[in-house]
Amino acid sequence: EDQVTQSPEALRLQEGESSSLNCSYTVSGLRGLFWYRQDPGKGPEFLFTLYSAGEEKEKERLKATLTKKESFLHITAPKPEDSATYLCAVQASTGGFKTIFGAGTRLFVKA
Amino acid sequence: DADVTQTPRNRITKTGKRIMLECSQTKGHDRMYWYRQDPGLGLRLIYYSFDVKDINKGEISDGYSVSRQAQAKFSLSLESAIPNQTALYFCATSDSPGETQYFGPGTRLLVL
């Protein structure tokens, strides 16, 4: 069964304390892995798409990496404005259109 | 103006009532989706549409129906609302199945 698991459920960091969020997936052929950011009361906002193992993408303090079984979202020297829920989603390349979302990691960054 | 809009933003209704949630987009995308989000469960796909004449059931379509009135408009209906349909509902669009999805601001629905 296709599945996406994100850990931890919640993460509390001090400003400047770097860390990583994990997204483990099981899918019958990976077409793409997506990271989104969701602020309270808003819809998810796209961050990155990764297509193959070994691929990396960066945006400001965020860097996403991908292996055959998991993806990491690395946050370097976070700021309070990075506080949000980060969602991971995978799309299978077989069985037609199917995007599966993880439950998300809630990140709190304290000044 | 936002590319994907949803109305209403908040709705309280009673068990058994029929309600409609509406979604409009100005991105020119053919593909539109309806998701619901529940705490701890992530986003789950209700229905999706690849063009005006194409409607497909998602993971959790029971108790819901949709209408694609135009390329830019996709509505979700709850024929007879029940309390476990209380959730946050999101509309999204994309250019193709493998591409980024763009989400609306969501509709918070409470069924009493």
Side-chain angles (χ1 to χ4, degrees):
Chain A
E1 180 183 351
D2 297 339
Q3 196 169 348
V4 177
T5 303
Q6 291 189 246
S7 61
E9 289 186 12
L11 181 62
R12 297 181 184 275
L13 300 174
Q14 288 292 128
E15 183 172 5
E17 180 186 1
S18 301
S19 188
S20 298
L21 313 183
N22 177 263
C23 173
S24 297
Y25 65 90
T26 304
V27 67
S28 51
L30 179 68
R31 185 170 187 171
L33 185 142
F34 304 84
W35 281 99
Y36 290 85
R37 169 188 170 131
Q38 186 175 19
D39 292 297
K42 296 187 177 181
E45 180 182 340
F46 171 74
L47 291 173
F48 304 108
T49 308
L50 303 168
Y51 294 103
S52 58
E55 189 175 358
E56 300 182 352
K57 289 193 176 173
E58 288 187 67
K59 179 181 179 180
E60 296 180 354
R61 294 177 294 281
L62 301 176
K63 177 179 168 181
T65 61
L66 180 65
T67 71
K68 290 186 177 180
K69 294 184 178 181
E70 58 190 351
S71 176
F72 291 94
L73 184 64
H74 305 279
I75 302 176
T76 302
K79 298 182 178 182
E81 54 262 42
D82 294 321
S83 297
T85 296
Y86 291 85
L87 303 174
C88 172
V90 299
Q91 189 173 61
S93 59
T94 59
F97 168 79
K98 188 176 181 182
T99 298
I100 304 164
F101 280 83
T105 293
R106 289 176 294 150
L107 175 65
F108 305 90
V109 182
K110 186 176 180 181
Chain B
D1 288 341
D3 294 322
V4 183
T5 58
Q6 293 183 234
T7 56
R9 294 295 314 279
N10 295 280
R11 179 75 184 267
I12 300 173
T13 192
K14 294 182 178 180
T15 297
K17 294 291 186 181
R18 182 182 188 276
I19 67 163
M20 179 182 290
L21 310 183
E22 298 185 334
C23 176
S24 295
Q25 54 111 348
T26 59
K27 297 190 75 67
H29 290 165
D30 287 326
R31 292 162 175 82
M32 297 187 74
Y33 314 84
W34 275 105
Y35 290 91
R36 67 176 277 175
Q37 187 175 40
D38 300 275
L41 292 179
L43 287 158
R44 291 182 291 167
L45 184 63
I46 306 172
Y47 270 96
Y48 61 103
S49 169
F50 284 174
D51 62 43
V52 175
K53 297 182 180 180
D54 176 75
I55 302 290
N56 303 281
K57 292 183 176 181
E59 180 186 357
I60 52 164
S61 59
D62 288 347
Y64 302 95
S65 63
V66 292
S67 173
R68 185 80 184 266
Q69 300 94 327
Q71 185 205 35
K73 295 184 182 296
F74 193 34
S75 299
L76 175 72
S77 294
L78 285 67
E79 298 301 325
S80 179
I82 56 177
N84 76 0
Q85 291 178 313
T86 292
L88 193 52
Y89 289 85
F90 288 103
C91 173
T93 75
S94 75
D95 223 0
S96 72
E99 295 299 322
T100 301
Q101 293 187 28
Y102 296 88
F103 287 82
T107 294
R108 188 172 297 277
L109 175 66
L110 173 62
V111 183
L112 300 175

